Amino acid sequence: MTTESPLGGGSDERRPSADQPTTSYPATGTSTPPPRPGRPIGLAIAALVVGVVAFLLGLVPVVGTIVGLAAVVLGIIALLRHQSKVMAWIGLGLGAVATIVSIVVAVGLGAAIDSVQQDDPAVTATSEPAPVRTSSTPAPTPSATPSSAAADVPADYSDALADAETIANGLGSSKLETYAKLVAGGASEAAAQYAVDTVDADWQANAVRKAKAYAADGMTGDVLRNQLVSEYGEQFTAEEADYALAHLDD
């Protein structure tokens, strides 16, 4: 007795019909891992940009120092967070250079301003050189004034008066400054005192003249007033200095 073989021959395994859903399985083998996110470099870029700006502003006092320090701080933080070392180091280096340059410029500028404050403005009214000022100039002391009659005025008094007119009206000096220059030029204290008491000079107008000369060099406010009244400056009285500041723009 023979057994009929299934249609199609071969294996007895039943085949799924075309309508039966099939299950798909993922392919085996090595799969490619997803790309890892890049390391953040925001602080390193910021350090580089701020460092370049600081380097350009290095010659500006205070501003260059502030921006330079900001670049240094950003560079250090970027290095600590393991961001781009190249950009972080460049920004840090530029910031450090800018900070040093800005500080040096500020110190030099301060020294230059201090030097200007201690020097007289270059004002030359006559070809005759002014007497050299000495630091130990004695303060004027009251003395007996000789008679105003020309015949009774000694020759050294007349010479001192002529020099006082040149110094006071030509150079715009204060009364005390004129006295000091007369004594430094060889006049006696009595002759110098007579000259500054007799000379026809407008001390307030001289104070305005000196104030305008210093203002043209950039000196203003209390610094200008101190220069006008200081014993190492122009030696005007406080009232004359205040008058000069009040009429500075006249």
Side-chain angles (χ1 to χ4, degrees):
M1 181 178 180
T2 59
T3 305
E4 296 181 359
S5 60
L7 295 176
S11 172
D12 294 338
E13 181 180 357
R14 298 179 63 182
R15 297 180 181 179
S17 63
D19 296 334
Q20 183 177 355
T22 59
T23 305
S24 60
Y25 298 93
T28 60
T30 304
S31 60
T32 302
R36 300 177 61 183
R39 181 179 299 176
I41 59 173
L43 285 174
I45 294 176
L48 178 60
V49 172
V50 177
V52 172
V53 175
F55 186 78
L56 296 177
L57 297 176
L59 295 178
V60 181
V62 181
V63 176
T65 302
I66 295 174
V67 180
L69 290 176
V72 172
V73 172
L74 288 173
I76 293 174
I77 295 176
L79 291 174
L80 293 177
R81 296 188 178 182
H82 305 288
Q83 296 191 11
S84 175
K85 292 184 178 181
V86 175
M87 290 188 289
W89 275 113
I90 293 176
L92 191 153
L94 291 176
V97 171
T99 301
I100 295 173
V101 172
S102 180
I103 292 174
V104 171
V105 171
V107 172
L109 184 61
I113 293 175
D114 184 67
S115 176
V116 170
Q117 292 176 0
Q118 294 179 0
D119 295 335
D120 289 332
V123 179
T124 304
T126 63
S127 59
E128 180 182 359
V132 179
R133 177 187 299 177
T134 60
S135 59
S136 59
T137 302
T141 55
S143 59
T145 303
S147 173
S148 58
D152 298 333
V153 177
D156 59 334
Y157 280 55
S158 299
D159 293 340
L161 179 58
D163 292 338
E165 291 177 354
T166 300
I167 297 171
N169 298 324
L171 300 179
S173 300
S174 66
K175 185 174 183 178
L176 290 177
E177 179 70 8
T178 302
Y179 173 89
K181 288 182 177 180
L182 290 173
V183 173
S188 65
E189 293 183 7
Q193 187 65 50
Y194 165 80
V196 297
D197 290 339
T198 309
V199 66
D200 184 14
D202 188 343
W203 306 116
Q204 288 184 335
N206 288 354
V208 174
R209 178 178 172 182
K210 287 290 186 178
K212 289 184 177 180
Y214 284 115
D217 292 334
M219 195 177 297
T220 59
D222 291 338
V223 176
L224 175 56
R225 188 180 188 280
N226 290 338
Q227 179 66 19
L228 292 176
V229 301
S230 173
E231 62 178 322
Y232 302 105
E234 299 301 330
Q235 303 185 56
F236 287 100
T237 65
E239 292 76 15
E240 291 167 351
D242 292 338
Y243 177 88
L245 294 178
H247 295 79
L248 191 61
D249 297 328
D250 292 351

